[in-house]
């Protein structure tokens, strides 16, 4: 049933993306009086559809995409005397038509986040400086000399950065050296940290954790903590007398005890409670370990508001701008071979899994996924690869510089190379998706 659900929600996501993208091309073409022969959802053999005016609106056999077929769009078509042919329109008009699809995907992303912000906008408000609460052994931050209790006074040139600033820059910078200044005992210490790529998280990781209050995000039923009386959202204040200001304080203490009972102190609705809990050894975990059944997380200071239209759009543009820069940074990392393409690229199987999971988590998560897919589609389509919108834009720019058309033979070869490259990418991402499903 999960597989069927994943496929259903994937088709919803991809269907909306295709419709919005191709409607951009369609509306732009119609606005410049270009004849549109076909508006297709999917590629390949026509399954069903209808004709309205001069356009055939159809659903085709392969649902992983779509297209708008304009008269005179393909090299070599015999329509040179038709003033409504795509090829006979001014280059700036053709460029607008090519841009219109990705632009509509960006508009969709902005609309999604703006709409969510108008209903429920959550913002993390950090009180005080960014204090380090935990350092993983042998991590980039440990190698940089960062210590627990250090204040990050400067990070990548930004003074007094928030943990949100630090987290975003760290995530987008695997294997890039970042300058930072630590404030320790009244003294400033200058150093550098080089985040590594965390395959599970999909981005850079410096191996540090911020200092802050820790709560029980989830208490597993039938596990020792639940049986002792620990509840979801309890504030975890101390374990065996050690103050808990990082998730790892709890996890490391249990690990080091190797089954020895621990004393956990919590705060619940203003009341201090103490529990003695005997960990159990869970062999079913990917890495067997001692557990009490509590998933700890940082308790953030969230301020929830509803933004009006203009502030919501402004906030959406800012957030989508940051995400777009992140996508471009990862693409640059893959091209330069700094980042593993296998870990970064996902095909239809991976997106289907994410679609089903997001839908099961609720409409907000599903809309956030649609936002990211739409933004990714816009940026991917603007890459200067033949058969993509970016390839057409690049070709038009070349013709503008040359002052004449590129030969038909050159255009045909350009498209053939692009098609072969795109098919290689499709095969790679499908293989990558399938390999992730196979254990070991």
């Amino acid at each position: 049933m999960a597989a069927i659900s994943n496929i259903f929600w994937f088709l919803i996501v991809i269907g909306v993306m295709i419709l919005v993208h191709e409607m951009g091309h369609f509306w732009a073409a119609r606005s410049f009086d270009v004849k549109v022969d076909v508006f297709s959802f999917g590629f390949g053999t026509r399954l069903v559809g209808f004709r309205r005016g001069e356009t055939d609106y159809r659903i085709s056999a392969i649902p992983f995409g779509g297209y708008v077929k304009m008269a005179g769009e393909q090299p070599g078509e015999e329509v040179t005397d038709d003033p409504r042919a795509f090829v006979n329109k001014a280059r700036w008009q053709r460029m607008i038509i090519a841009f219109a699809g990705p632009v509509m995907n960006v508009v969709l992303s902005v609309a999604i986040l703006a709409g969510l912000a108008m209903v429920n906008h959550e913002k993390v408000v950090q009180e005080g400086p960014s204090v380090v609460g935990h350092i993983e052994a042998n991590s980039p931050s440990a190698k940089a000399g960062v210590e627990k209790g250090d204040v990050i006074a400067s990070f990548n040139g930004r003074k007094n950065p928030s943990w949100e600033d630090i987290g975003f820059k760290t995530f987008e910078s695997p294997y890039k050296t970042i300058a930072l200044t630590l404030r320790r005992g009244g003294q400033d210490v200058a150093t550098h940290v080089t985040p590594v790529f965390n395959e599970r998280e999909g981005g850079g990781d410096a191996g540090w954790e911020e200092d802050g209050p820790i709560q029980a995000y989830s208490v597993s039923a039938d596990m020792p903590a639940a049986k002792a009386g620990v509840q979801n959202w309890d504030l975890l204040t101390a374990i065996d007398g050690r103050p808990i200001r990082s998730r790892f304080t709890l996890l490391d203490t249990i690990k080091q005890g190797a089954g020895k009972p621990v004393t956990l102190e919590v705060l619940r609705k203003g009341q201090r409670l103490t529990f003695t809990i005997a960990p159990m050894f869970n062999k079913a975990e990917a890495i067997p370990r001692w557990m009490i059944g509590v998933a700890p997380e940082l308790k953030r200071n969230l301020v929830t508001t509803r933004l009006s239209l203009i502030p919501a759009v402004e906030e959406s543009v800012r957030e989508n701008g940051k995400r777009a820069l992140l996508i471009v940074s990862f693409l640059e990392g893959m091209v330069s071979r700094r980042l593993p393409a296998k870990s970064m690229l996902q095909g239809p199987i991976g997106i289907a899994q994410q679609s089903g999971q997001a839908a099961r988590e609720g409409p907000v998560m599903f809309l956030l996924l649609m936002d990211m897919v739409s933004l990714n589609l816009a940026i991917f389509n603007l890459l200067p690869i033949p058969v993509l919108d970016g390839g057409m834009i690049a070709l038009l720019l070349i013709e503008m510089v040359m002052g004449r058309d590129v030969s038909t033979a050159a255009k045909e070869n350009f498209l053939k190379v692009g098609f072969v490259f795109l098919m290689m990418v499709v095969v790679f991402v499908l293989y990558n998706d399938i390999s992730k499903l196979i254990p070991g």
Side-chain angles (χ1 to χ4, degrees), residues 280-357:
M280 64 172 286
F281 192 73
N282 192 341
K283 296 181 180 179
E285 289 286 299
I287 301 177
R289 59 191 175 96
W290 291 99
M291 302 175 64
I292 64 172
V294 172
E297 74 163 11
L298 186 74
K299 186 178 187 299
R300 300 184 182 276
N301 184 20
L302 282 176
V303 176
T304 303
T305 57
R306 290 186 177 185
L307 301 182
S308 56
L309 178 60
I310 300 303
V313 171
E314 292 174 344
E315 178 68 14
S316 177
V317 169
R318 278 194 296 271
E319 284 300 312
N320 277 295
K322 288 168 61 177
R323 296 178 186 190
L325 288 175
L326 184 64
I327 295 168
V328 172
S329 177
F330 283 170
L331 285 171
E332 178 273 326
M334 285 188 290
V335 172
S336 65
R337 302 182 68 180
R338 179 171 51 85
L339 299 178
K342 181 177 180 181
S343 298
M344 305 302 301
L345 293 177
Q346 280 197 322
I349 297 174
I351 298 173
Q353 289 178 319
Q354 289 187 334
S355 301
Q357 180 62 34

Side-chain angles (χ1 to χ4, degrees), residues 154-233:
S154 173
F155 190 76
N156 194 46
R158 181 187 287 269
K159 295 185 180 298
N160 302 315
S162 67
W163 273 108
E164 183 180 7
D165 298 328
I166 295 167
F168 183 84
K169 186 61 184 177
T170 301
F171 189 82
E172 74 164 359
S173 305
Y175 308 117
K176 287 185 177 180
T177 300
I178 302 172
L180 72 152
T181 302
L182 307 170
R183 190 158 295 138
R184 182 187 302 159
Q187 300 292 322
D188 283 354
V189 179
T191 185
H192 295 80
V193 64
T194 305
V196 296
F197 181 72
N198 185 319
E199 188 168 337
R200 183 171 60 87
E201 298 293 335
D205 181 13
W208 53 26
E209 178 95 358
E210 65 181 286
D211 178 88
I214 303 298
Q215 64 186 358
Y217 170 71
S218 175
V219 180
S220 301
D222 299 324
M223 290 290 284
K227 292 177 181 178
V230 181
Q231 297 180 9
N232 290 346
W233 312 119

Side-chain angles (χ1 to χ4, degrees), residues 183-434:
R183 190 158 295 138
R184 182 187 302 159
Q187 300 292 322
D188 283 354
V189 179
T191 185
H192 295 80
V193 64
T194 305
V196 296
F197 181 72
N198 185 319
E199 188 168 337
R200 183 171 60 87
E201 298 293 335
D205 181 13
W208 53 26
E209 178 95 358
E210 65 181 286
D211 178 88
I214 303 298
Q215 64 186 358
Y217 170 71
S218 175
V219 180
S220 301
D222 299 324
M223 290 290 284
K227 292 177 181 178
V230 181
Q231 297 180 9
N232 290 346
W233 312 119
D234 280 349
L235 191 66
L236 311 177
T237 57
I239 183 168
D240 287 348
R242 295 173 59 189
I244 298 176
R245 299 288 296 177
S246 163
R247 295 176 302 146
F248 295 95
T249 302
L250 177 74
L251 302 174
D252 288 351
T253 302
I254 294 169
K255 178 181 178 180
Q256 293 164 8
K260 179 183 175 182
V262 295
T263 301
L264 182 65
E265 299 173 35
V266 308
L267 186 65
R268 182 188 301 162
K269 297 180 180 178
Q271 182 180 6
R272 295 191 177 277
L273 304 171
T274 302
F275 305 96
T276 299
I277 306 169
M280 64 172 286
F281 192 73
N282 192 341
K283 296 181 180 179
E285 289 286 299
I287 301 177
R289 59 191 175 96
W290 291 99
M291 302 175 64
I292 64 172
V294 172
E297 74 163 11
L298 186 74
K299 186 178 187 299
R300 300 184 182 276
N301 184 20
L302 282 176
V303 176
T304 303
T305 57
R306 290 186 177 185
L307 301 182
S308 56
L309 178 60
I310 300 303
V313 171
E314 292 174 344
E315 178 68 14
S316 177
V317 169
R318 278 194 296 271
E319 284 300 312
N320 277 295
K322 288 168 61 177
R323 296 178 186 190
L325 288 175
L326 184 64
I327 295 168
V328 172
S329 177
F330 283 170
L331 285 171
E332 178 273 326
M334 285 188 290
V335 172
S336 65
R337 302 182 68 180
R338 179 171 51 85
L339 299 178
K342 181 177 180 181
S343 298
M344 305 302 301
L345 293 177
Q346 280 197 322
I349 297 174
I351 298 173
Q353 289 178 319
Q354 289 187 334
S355 301
Q357 180 62 34
R360 288 186 284 272
E361 291 180 13
V364 172
M365 293 304 298
F366 188 70
L367 287 171
L368 289 174
L369 175 69
M370 289 185 68
D371 163 60
M372 281 304 299
V373 172
S374 189
L375 197 58
N376 272 273
L377 181 63
I379 293 172
F380 180 74
N381 266 281
L382 287 174
L383 295 177
I385 299 172
V387 310
L388 297 181
D389 299 325
M392 180 180 293
I393 293 167
L395 190 59
L396 288 168
L397 287 173
I398 291 171
E399 291 184 341
M400 286 180 176
V401 172
M402 293 172 57
R404 60 180 177 81
D405 288 347
V406 174
S407 69
T408 299
K411 288 181 181 180
E412 290 176 344
N413 290 331
F414 188 63
L415 289 175
K416 288 176 183 177
V417 170
F419 180 78
V420 171
F421 175 81
L422 198 59
M423 289 302 99
M424 289 173 63
V425 172
V426 169
V427 171
F428 176 79
V429 295
L430 284 172
Y431 170 80
N432 193 32
D433 282 353
I434 293 171

